[in-house]
Amino acid sequence: MIKRKKTKQIFVGNVPIGGNADIAVQSMCNTPTWDVEKTVNQIKELEAAGCEIIRVAVPDKKSADALKEIKQNISIPLIADIHFDYRLALAAIENGVDALRINPGNIGKEDFIRQVVEAARKKHIPIRIGVNSGSLEKEFSHLGKVDAMVASALKNVSILEKYDFDMIKISLKASDVLTTIEAYEKISEKTDYPLHVGITEAGTLKSGLIKSSIGIGALLLKGIGDTIRVSLTAPPKEEVFAAYELLKSLQLRHRGVNLISCPTCGRTKINLIELAHKVEEIVASVDKPLTIAVMGCPVNGPGEAKGADLGIAGGIGEGYIFKKGEIIKKVPEQQLLEEFKKELSSMI
Amino acid sequence: MIKRKKTKQIFVGNVPIGGNADIAVQSMCNTPTWDVEKTVNQIKELEAAGCEIIRVAVPDKKSADALKEIKQNISIPLIADIHFDYRLALAAIENGVDALRINPGNIGKEDFIRQVVEAARKKHIPIRIGVNSGSLEKEFSHLGKVDAMVASALKNVSILEKYDFDMIKISLKASDVLTTIEAYEKISEKTDYPLHVGITEAGTLKSGLIKSSIGIGALLLKGIGDTIRVSLTAPPKEEVFAAYELLKSLQLRHRGVNLISCPTCGRTKINLIELAHKVEEIVASVDKPLTIAVMGCPVNGPGEAKGADLGIAGGIGEGYIFKKGEIIKKVPEQQLLEEFKKELSSMI
């Protein structure tokens, strides 16, 4: 089991981040925020997929204005992502968001920063400092990239602390996996604020899953990370799916089915890829934490997957249903999925 | 940079494994091995994708017989995967395979083991001991899973060493990520033989990429692993693609393009997902190690991706081509991909 670093706990709405809290799953909308209907629909879809916190971009006044109505129509906490403009931050707070992502160092005038911090404090709204390796302050350009990221985060932390504000969360994202891992390791040694972990600009679905899983996975294995976002150039619900797969693989969260399935090989006599995908569809809506196996052959399959609560092993023109390593039923291939569904229903 | 553990070097055909050698990418055919045409075609497709070593299942005599013709028609080293039957191992060696995967402890009689080892030694053919957590010897059932896997591997090593055979490679696969990581860490401390790393039965494409990337990634980050297979319930060329993405992310191999792309957000004015996928297709055949970026906005994009050799940033109805952070061209959206291709061609 992974031993997590204990960080200070903050709350984004009703979701605790850090301390002993579960690692929270978040995502970001890719709808125009001012389009309330589209944005609310996407958030509801993400909620259904298990998203626990949602972030939206607030690049302009009409987006900030839309936050009020969005907030009224969703159940999960809402974070406003703001660059530079303190007026947008004030409007977002006024409109009921549960947290901000804004770097105080980018706001400009002291008086503007103070206004944002005071407004956030009054409503108990935490602020995420989101350092991105691609847009670091010039003052840190003499440092290596990792040290510059850490220095930038700490500078922003100190600005907030100057105003006695400590509802802080930090992220330090780079598109490079090694840089990201090293930056989070360093900041984790220097601060106890909770960390939002992710690889930025990780790429399209497959490459993005790979980079995010290596980077976020390596950090979680070290006990680092209080909330995660898997950034993908893909529909946001893929980000939520991936986040849970990642957390389940590391036994940090238990939600729905852990599917194990053979790679295909020359021994397989059935269409295993198709079978595994059909089983994946069937179990997608199951919330109960179960391990389900789809194996290519009845000889090794049930034994190798004896940890599985329920499994299918393919034979020639027929298949086997097994539980905890024991074959309980032999059925013709055409009835395999039906029988599997029956067994599954009886377990949930 | 990752500091790799230095292991003993062996050769699978002309591919070095261990020592200072590059981490070799391998996959496994899912065609029936006795179907020479299908198997050779699949291997050629995998070769083109970058596969460096290919394994085939040899469950019966007709598969063993097919190895000779397969071997004559492919360029990369061929590994025969054999369970139990020493006669199949002898036939595979006779038919020119470059390596075996067989656990000597499963062969049975001492005399049978001796015959296989002598034949392998004579042709300089290494043997991979492939321990699988689902099929461990009963004698180790009193141990925890990880210790049982390590004990099984060491027992098999000692059988081979008894016959003065040291062209050994070891794998210790489990479908559970944490178990796999711990098992490889332990065996790596106890032996200097090169390690073949992978997560077995990792699942369908997306889940499998996630589990494999966490597990293989965590081990490679610790310097463990001399050759990898990403096991997926998916076409084997996905395994090869994933292996390179994984190795490139960790800067352990450099092959083709490293694509970085924004997650979409409410700020994006173009269809970024589609654009990124089109760029991914265009660069798929590029061998030169380049970093290419596809960014959602012209304001932050070029700066955030200033490490990219070439990039596209989307605007409203138009796009920007940039190199190393500097915009070099503004073009209408419809011409964006054409201009990108031109710039790419001039670089390769």
Side-chain angles (χ1 to χ4, degrees):
Chain A
M1 288 295 291
I2 293 170
K3 195 176 172 320
R4 288 176 59 200
K5 182 187 162 179
K6 188 152 177 205
T7 52
K8 176 176 155 43
Q9 191 168 77
I10 61 167
F11 277 82
V12 175
N14 58 356
V15 177
I17 308 281
N20 293 316
D22 276 346
I23 293 168
V25 169
Q26 49 178 297
S27 184
M28 188 168 184
C29 285
N30 64 0
T31 51
T33 305
W34 51 262
D35 188 329
V36 174
E37 195 186 334
K38 271 193 188 163
T39 302
V40 167
N41 285 343
Q42 188 171 63
I43 295 173
K44 285 186 181 296
E45 184 193 30
L46 294 171
E47 274 183 39
C51 183
E52 295 168 310
I53 298 172
I54 188 69
R55 179 161 49 114
V56 293
V58 182
D60 48 34
K61 186 68 170 51
K62 65 177 174 175
S63 297
D65 289 342
L67 295 170
K68 192 169 191 167
E69 202 181 333
I70 293 170
K71 180 68 192 156
Q72 285 163 351
N73 285 284
I74 64 173
S75 311
I76 54 176
L78 180 68
I79 303 181
D81 191 301
I82 293 160
H83 290 183
F84 312 110
D85 191 339
Y86 83 107
R87 289 164 305 184
L88 295 176
L90 293 176
I93 295 170
E94 187 58 39
N95 285 329
V97 297
D98 299 286
L100 293 180
R101 183 243 168 159
I102 190 166
N103 293 355
N106 295 342
I107 294 179
K109 279 195 193 164
E110 282 275 329
D111 179 51
F112 297 167
I113 300 175
R114 199 184 38 72
Q115 287 185 50
V116 172
V117 175
E118 291 305 332
R121 188 207 319 282
K122 215 166 136 187
K123 294 217 179 176
H124 275 277
I125 286 176
I127 294 177
R128 166 155 71 96
I129 294 165
V131 172
N132 189 310
S133 72
S135 48
L136 291 166
E137 295 95 330
K138 286 218 173 62
E139 64 189 287
F140 302 123
S141 60
H142 63 289
L143 298 172
K145 193 180 264 188
V146 167
D147 288 328
M149 289 167 74
V150 172
S152 172
L154 294 176
K155 177 193 150 189
N156 279 285
V157 165
S158 72
I159 295 173
L160 292 177
E161 286 178 339
K162 200 171 76 178
Y163 295 100
D164 263 335
F165 188 90
D166 67 353
M167 292 177 287
I168 298 173
K169 196 172 56 163
I170 303 170
S171 67
L172 292 164
K173 298 188 186 179
S175 62
D176 174 66
V177 174
L178 294 174
T179 304
T180 306
I181 294 172
E182 205 185 328
Y184 275 103
E185 283 173 346
K186 283 207 176 174
I187 197 78
S188 175
E189 280 169 20
K190 290 180 191 287
T191 178
D192 288 329
Y193 289 118
L195 300 178
H196 163 121
V197 168
I199 306 291
T200 194
E201 294 138 22
T204 51
L205 185 59
K206 290 188 291 180
S207 310
L209 287 178
I210 293 168
K211 288 184 199 170
S212 295
S213 301
I214 300 172
I216 298 174
L219 289 166
L220 292 175
L221 277 162
K222 289 174 199 279
I224 296 171
D226 300 287
T227 176
I228 65 171
R229 179 194 175 196
V230 178
S231 294
L232 299 172
T233 311
K237 70 179 173 190
E238 297 287 359
E239 301 188 347
V240 176
F241 171 84
Y244 280 105
E245 286 296 304
L246 222 158
L247 293 170
K248 284 191 293 186
S249 298
L250 294 169
Q251 294 174 22
L252 288 164
R253 294 288 299 262
H254 301 280
R255 182 181 196 274
V257 166
N258 176 29
L259 184 69
I260 64 178
S261 61
C262 284
T264 59
C265 81
R267 291 187 193 91
T268 313
K269 310 286 187 222
I270 50 158
N271 188 339
L272 192 70
I273 298 177
E274 193 186 313
L275 185 65
H277 279 95
K278 283 189 176 155
V279 169
E280 191 170 42
E281 278 167 30
I282 292 169
V283 302
S285 58
V286 175
D287 284 335
K288 190 171 172 179
L290 291 173
T291 298
I292 305 284
V294 182
M295 309 297 283
C297 73
V299 182
N300 300 321
E304 291 200 1
K306 60 174 162 280
D309 300 296
L310 181 63
I312 291 181
I316 305 174
E318 62 194 11
Y320 301 80
I321 307 278
F322 62 92
K323 284 185 177 181
K324 295 281 179 193
E326 302 298 328
I327 291 176
I328 57 163
K329 221 177 257 179
K330 180 169 108 172
V331 283
E333 194 170 340
Q334 310 92 283
Q335 292 161 37
L336 200 49
L337 286 170
E338 273 317 305
E339 284 298 321
F340 172 79
K341 274 188 215 172
K342 270 188 219 163
E343 289 297 329
L344 183 65
S345 306
S346 73
M347 295 173 79
I348 56 180
Chain B
M1 289 293 293
I2 292 171
K3 194 174 174 319
R4 288 177 58 200
K5 181 188 162 178
K6 189 153 176 204
T7 51
K8 176 176 155 44
Q9 192 167 76
I10 62 166
F11 277 82
V12 174
N14 59 356
V15 176
I17 308 282
N20 293 317
D22 276 346
I23 293 169
V25 170
Q26 49 178 296
S27 184
M28 188 169 186
C29 286
N30 64 0
T31 51
T33 305
W34 52 261
D35 188 330
V36 173
E37 195 184 335
K38 271 193 187 163
T39 302
V40 166
N41 285 344
Q42 189 171 63
I43 295 173
K44 285 187 181 298
E45 184 193 28
L46 294 171
E47 274 184 40
C51 184
E52 295 169 309
I53 298 172
I54 187 70
R55 179 160 51 112
V56 293
V58 183
D60 47 33
K61 186 67 170 49
K62 66 179 176 174
S63 297
D65 290 342
L67 296 170
K68 192 169 191 168
E69 203 181 333
I70 293 170
K71 180 69 192 155
Q72 284 163 351
N73 286 286
I74 63 173
S75 311
I76 54 176
L78 180 67
I79 303 181
D81 191 301
I82 293 160
H83 291 183
F84 312 109
D85 192 338
Y86 83 108
R87 290 164 304 183
L88 295 177
L90 292 175
I93 294 170
E94 187 59 39
N95 284 329
V97 297
D98 299 285
L100 292 180
R101 183 244 170 159
I102 189 166
N103 292 355
N106 294 343
I107 294 179
K109 279 194 192 168
E110 281 276 328
D111 180 50
F112 296 166
I113 301 175
R114 199 185 37 72
Q115 287 185 52
V116 172
V117 175
E118 291 306 330
R121 188 206 320 283
K122 215 166 137 187
K123 294 216 179 176
H124 275 275
I125 286 177
I127 293 176
R128 166 156 70 97
I129 294 165
V131 172
N132 189 308
S133 72
S135 48
L136 291 166
E137 295 95 329
K138 286 215 174 64
E139 63 189 287
F140 302 122
S141 59
H142 63 289
L143 298 172
K145 194 180 261 187
V146 167
D147 288 328
M149 289 167 75
V150 172
S152 172
L154 294 176
K155 177 194 147 186
N156 279 285
V157 165
S158 72
I159 295 173
L160 292 178
E161 286 178 338
K162 200 172 77 179
Y163 294 102
D164 263 336
F165 188 91
D166 67 353
M167 292 177 288
I168 298 173
K169 196 171 55 161
I170 303 170
S171 67
L172 292 166
K173 297 187 187 178
S175 62
D176 174 67
V177 174
L178 294 175
T179 305
T180 306
I181 293 172
E182 204 185 328
Y184 275 103
E185 282 174 346
K186 282 207 176 176
I187 196 79
S188 174
E189 280 169 21
K190 289 179 190 288
T191 178
D192 288 330
Y193 289 116
L195 300 179
H196 162 121
V197 168
I199 305 291
T200 194
E201 294 138 21
T204 51
L205 184 59
K206 289 188 292 181
S207 310
L209 288 178
I210 293 167
K211 289 184 200 171
S212 295
S213 302
I214 300 173
I216 298 173
L219 289 166
L220 292 174
L221 278 162
K222 289 172 199 278
I224 297 171
D226 301 285
T227 176
I228 65 171
R229 178 194 175 197
V230 178
S231 294
L232 298 172
T233 311
K237 70 178 175 192
E238 297 287 359
E239 301 188 347
V240 175
F241 171 83
Y244 279 105
E245 286 296 304
L246 222 158
L247 293 170
K248 283 191 292 185
S249 299
L250 294 170
Q251 295 174 23
L252 288 164
R253 295 288 298 263
H254 301 279
R255 182 180 194 276
V257 166
N258 175 30
L259 183 70
I260 64 178
S261 60
C262 284
T264 58
C265 81
R267 291 189 191 88
T268 313
K269 309 286 188 221
I270 50 158
N271 188 339
L272 192 69
I273 299 178
E274 193 186 311
L275 185 65
H277 278 96
K278 282 187 177 156
V279 169
E280 191 170 42
E281 278 168 29
I282 293 169
V283 303
S285 59
V286 175
D287 284 336
K288 190 170 173 181
L290 291 172
T291 297
I292 305 285
V294 182
M295 309 298 281
C297 73
V299 181
N300 300 319
E304 292 201 0
K306 61 174 163 281
D309 300 295
L310 182 63
I312 291 182
I316 305 174
E318 61 194 12
Y320 302 80
I321 307 276
F322 62 92
K323 283 185 176 180
K324 295 278 178 196
E326 301 297 328
I327 291 176
I328 57 164
K329 220 177 258 180
K330 180 169 107 171
V331 282
E333 195 170 338
Q334 309 92 285
Q335 292 161 39
L336 199 50
L337 285 169
E338 272 318 305
E339 284 300 321
F340 171 79
K341 275 189 215 173
K342 269 188 219 162
E343 289 298 329
L344 183 66
S345 305
S346 75
M347 295 174 79
I348 54 179

